[in-house]
Amino acid sequence: MSATPETADTGVTTDLDPERVAYLEALAQQRWFFLHTVEGLTDDQARLTPTASELCLGGLVKHVALTERGWTDFVEHGSMAGGEDADHEAREREFRLADDETLEEVVALFHEVAAHTDELIRTVDLSASHELPPAPWFTPGERRSARRVFAHLLCELAHHTGHADILRESIDGQRSMG
């Protein structure tokens, strides 16, 4: 039996300031709900697109991990893929669990990226900021702080957790969030 979001080990220590603890705990809870939606699925089930959208659970796990990795690259290096020069075909493939990929592999990637994000939350200057890359959805010259990136990652994860819950319920009736 897996842990519940309340009993999951968040890795949070008491020597961190409350803001960092809040990010770590909120992300741990959302990650638990998100990954709960893929527990017990086969790779074939994780590839299903059971709703009117083209989303599948395996692809969502991969997309969330790769997007989070892009934002942590931004926090660390001030650069990220996905601006005007983005490979849009590659971006679309993020939402698919390809035949040569397994759910186990993308869940492992998700855990690896999450661990790195958590370490950054524990250690980076939350006020440090970088200019966003050119893209139609960013205001030219706009900057993002690490703090704002981590808040954005939490929002993105919660958003996709809702998608995942609907997909899982459509596959086999399991409801992850209620």
Side-chain angles (χ1 to χ4, degrees), residues 6-114:
E6 292 78 24
T7 62
D9 179 17
T10 62
V12 178
T13 60
T14 57
D15 61 336
L16 295 174
D17 67 75
E19 181 180 18
R20 292 175 196 271
V21 170
Y23 283 128
L24 291 167
E25 289 179 347
L27 281 166
Q29 181 182 51
Q30 284 303 312
R31 287 175 181 142
W32 185 91
F33 279 120
F34 185 68
L35 290 179
H36 184 63
T37 65
V38 299
E39 282 182 6
L41 291 180
T42 65
D43 292 340
D44 288 337
Q45 288 174 310
R47 289 184 186 94
L48 292 175
T49 55
T51 65
S53 80
E54 295 183 21
L55 295 176
C56 70
L57 284 166
L60 270 180
V61 174
K62 182 169 64 169
H63 165 72
V64 168
L66 294 175
T67 299
E68 186 168 323
R69 181 192 288 163
W71 279 108
T72 59
D73 285 348
F74 176 79
V75 167
E76 290 182 287
H77 310 291
S79 61
M80 65 188 302
E84 290 179 329
D85 298 329
D87 179 347
H88 296 287
E89 288 179 22
R91 190 74 170 164
E92 286 182 24
R93 285 191 303 272
E94 277 185 20
F95 288 95
R96 294 269 162 266
L97 185 64
D99 289 339
D100 64 341
E101 296 173 317
T102 67
L103 181 58
E104 183 179 359
E105 290 168 345
V106 295
V107 168
L109 172 65
F110 180 92
H111 284 299
E112 175 187 320
V113 171

Side-chain angles (χ1 to χ4, degrees), residues 71 74 78 127-133 138-146 148-149:
W71 279 108
F74 176 79
S127 297
S129 69
H130 301 288
E131 187 172 323
L132 291 165
F138 297 138
T139 303
E142 184 180 355
R143 297 182 69 82
R144 286 272 166 92
S145 67
R148 186 161 173 206
V149 166

Side-chain angles (χ1 to χ4, degrees), residues 113-160:
V113 171
H116 182 68
T117 300
D118 288 353
E119 184 57 27
L120 288 177
I121 290 170
R122 288 182 186 93
T123 60
V124 299
D125 175 357
L126 295 175
S127 297
S129 69
H130 301 288
E131 187 172 323
L132 291 165
W137 46 88
F138 297 138
T139 303
E142 184 180 355
R143 297 182 69 82
R144 286 272 166 92
S145 67
R147 173 180 290 107
R148 186 161 173 206
V149 166
F150 298 138
H152 175 74
L153 288 177
L154 179 58
C155 291
E156 281 288 313
L157 181 57
H159 181 82
H160 289 308

